[in-house]
Structure formats: structure tokens, C-alpha cells
Amino acid sequence: MKRFNRLNDRYFKFLFANPKYKFLLVEFLNEVLADIPAGAERLPPVVDLAYSDRETIPDHEADKLPRFDVVAQCED
């Protein structure tokens, strides 16, 4: 089996951009948000998310072209 880079965009999108695996992205976001330093304001946990348009025009010419956007719904 050929080895692949798990940090590759394609692998990341396979796991997190597929609505079938939405639960993985929710868990990932909650783990990352839980690591915010103690002095910072804590964000409520993400309970659901929606995938928005994946192809949008950047605001500035030098900006990257975003291809993976989500809208997260928090507990509150």
C-alpha cells in the first residue's frame, strides 16, 4: 500500500469536508477549542455544523482561495 501524507489537503477534506463524517469535524473543533489557555474566554461546544459554499472569491488578490467553509452551531 502506498504511504500518503495525512496533512495533505485532499486527505483533510476527505475526513472533514464530507457531510457523512460531520461528527469527526465537530469532535475535532471541540478538542481544539478545549485547549484554549485558561485566561482566555471559553467558547461553548460545537453541537452541529453546516457546510457552506466551498468555492468563494477571496477579498484581496493576494489571499488564498478558500475551498472548505463551515458554519458551526454552538450549544448556546
Side-chain angles (χ1 to χ4, degrees), residues 3-4 7 17 19 27 75:
R3 305 275 306 163
F4 57 92
L7 298 177
E27 288 182 24
E75 200 172 63

Side-chain angles (χ1 to χ4, degrees), residues 1-12:
M1 181 174 171
K2 184 179 176 183
R3 305 275 306 163
F4 57 92
N5 183 354
R6 288 178 178 83
L7 298 177
N8 182 299
D9 283 350
R10 183 173 247 169
Y11 182 73
F12 185 88

